[in-house]
Amino acid sequence: MTPGDGYAGQAAAAWQRAAAARERASRAEDSARRHDEWAREPGRELHEDLAAALRTTAACHRSSAQLQEGFARRMTRWAQGRGARPQFMTGVAEACGTPSAALTLVDSGQGQLAVAASDEVARAAQELEFILGEGPTRDATATGRTVVATHTVLEERWPCCGPALTALGVREVAAVPLSTPDVSDFCLGALAVFDPRPGLVGSQAFAEIVGALTRTVLLDPDADPELYGGTDHRDVVQQAAGMVSVHIGRRVDDALALIKARAFSLGMPLETFARGIVSGDFRLTPEGRS
């Protein structure tokens, strides 16, 4: 695709979301200051906790504004014919100080619903988890806890996915669940960062980015869960699974498992293999042969 009015519109939408986020941050900070004043009165110490919570909210809104502004600047350059087609997650990776990052959304059964990636490494890493059914992101969403694994741990903890990740050149992965403080058992998905800089995980800046993604980028009333067209719902894979299901007379889940296994055995990207099924270039039997 080439730059045009549609991309200029995405830039404008990002600027608007950034302005709204900064306004919300300002309101939260004003409220925090008022609660600080009330907390000075005897018996009103509860306001200290409210002020702290409001400052956390303000920080998330500021981080969201920075992410939106960064994307808007890149999209503006692209609309003018300069630079490469930007991805929202590229800005997230840069804000984290990592070469690659991916955001994965999951359903109630922890199955991948959609993925947004900063680059090919992040996209390939999430595809491996989708195909193999194991990995850092899957564990983070299942347990609701941050998962950090280096080269050796990757290969020991996930015997199928780990070696495949290290073969991509990944030396370390950190996956953080995206959840809200209001609903403790609800996990929207996870943010995975690859080869993060030392000290990133556990830092205030990283927590603010995770909070921004969860509370403002994805869940705000005016949010764009599609991340400006950068979210992949694996539509062609689902279409292929439906076709194979009819052909072999099995459930769609079984057909999807066959497609995953065959693509992995061929060393072929899942979407490429699925497109081959849709186009008629590949045809699967119940045994998985094509």
Side-chain angles (χ1 to χ4, degrees), residues 10 12-22 24 61 64-65 68 216-217 222-225 228:
Q10 287 188 346
W15 286 121
Q16 290 171 358
R17 290 189 176 102
R22 290 204 177 278
R24 290 170 183 152
H61 285 308
S64 174
Q68 300 284 357
T216 65
V217 175
D222 64 345
D224 177 16
Y228 303 98

Side-chain angles (χ1 to χ4, degrees), residues 103-117:
L103 186 150
T104 301
L105 303 181
V106 299
D107 58 23
S108 58
Q110 307 307 317
Q112 280 193 18
L113 286 176
V115 173

Side-chain angles (χ1 to χ4, degrees), residues 15-161:
W15 286 121
Q16 290 171 358
R17 290 189 176 102
R22 290 204 177 278
E23 182 179 349
R24 290 170 183 152
S26 179
R27 289 201 301 266
E29 287 168 343
D30 288 344
S31 295
R33 283 191 287 270
R34 288 195 296 272
H35 282 284
D36 278 336
E37 293 174 1
W38 294 333
R40 296 190 186 98
E41 300 177 15
R44 306 189 74 179
E45 291 78 8
L46 174 63
H47 290 282
E48 292 181 2
D49 295 334
L50 293 174
L54 284 163
R55 288 198 176 87
T56 297
T57 297
C60 288
H61 285 308
R62 283 195 303 271
S63 183
S64 174
Q66 291 167 0
L67 293 174
Q68 300 284 357
E69 288 165 353
F71 178 78
R73 283 191 291 270
R74 293 183 181 88
M75 188 56 77
T76 298
R77 290 195 294 269
W78 170 247
Q80 296 169 348
R82 294 182 291 144
R85 166 73 166 94
Q87 296 290 333
F88 186 83
M89 288 303 300
T90 301
V92 174
E94 290 183 0
C96 292
T98 63
S100 304
L103 186 150
T104 301
L105 303 181
V106 299
D107 58 23
S108 58
Q110 307 307 317
Q112 280 193 18
L113 286 176
V115 173
S118 64
D119 61 351
E120 288 304 319
V121 169
R123 185 173 295 105
Q126 298 315 103
E127 181 167 298
L128 284 168
E129 291 204 31
F130 181 62
I131 292 174
L132 299 172
E134 65 174 26
T137 297
R138 190 176 180 87
D139 281 11
T141 57
T143 64
R145 295 192 294 271
T146 297
V147 173
V148 180
T150 55
H151 183 285
T152 303
V153 176
L154 276 171
E155 298 193 347
E156 292 177 350
R157 183 166 177 175
W158 302 286
C160 294
C161 185

Side-chain angles (χ1 to χ4, degrees), residues 232-248:
D232 178 10
H233 293 272
R234 306 189 191 279
D235 293 338
V236 71
V237 176
Q238 299 301 331
Q239 183 183 0
M243 293 174 64
V244 171
S245 173
V246 172
H247 174 63
I248 67 175

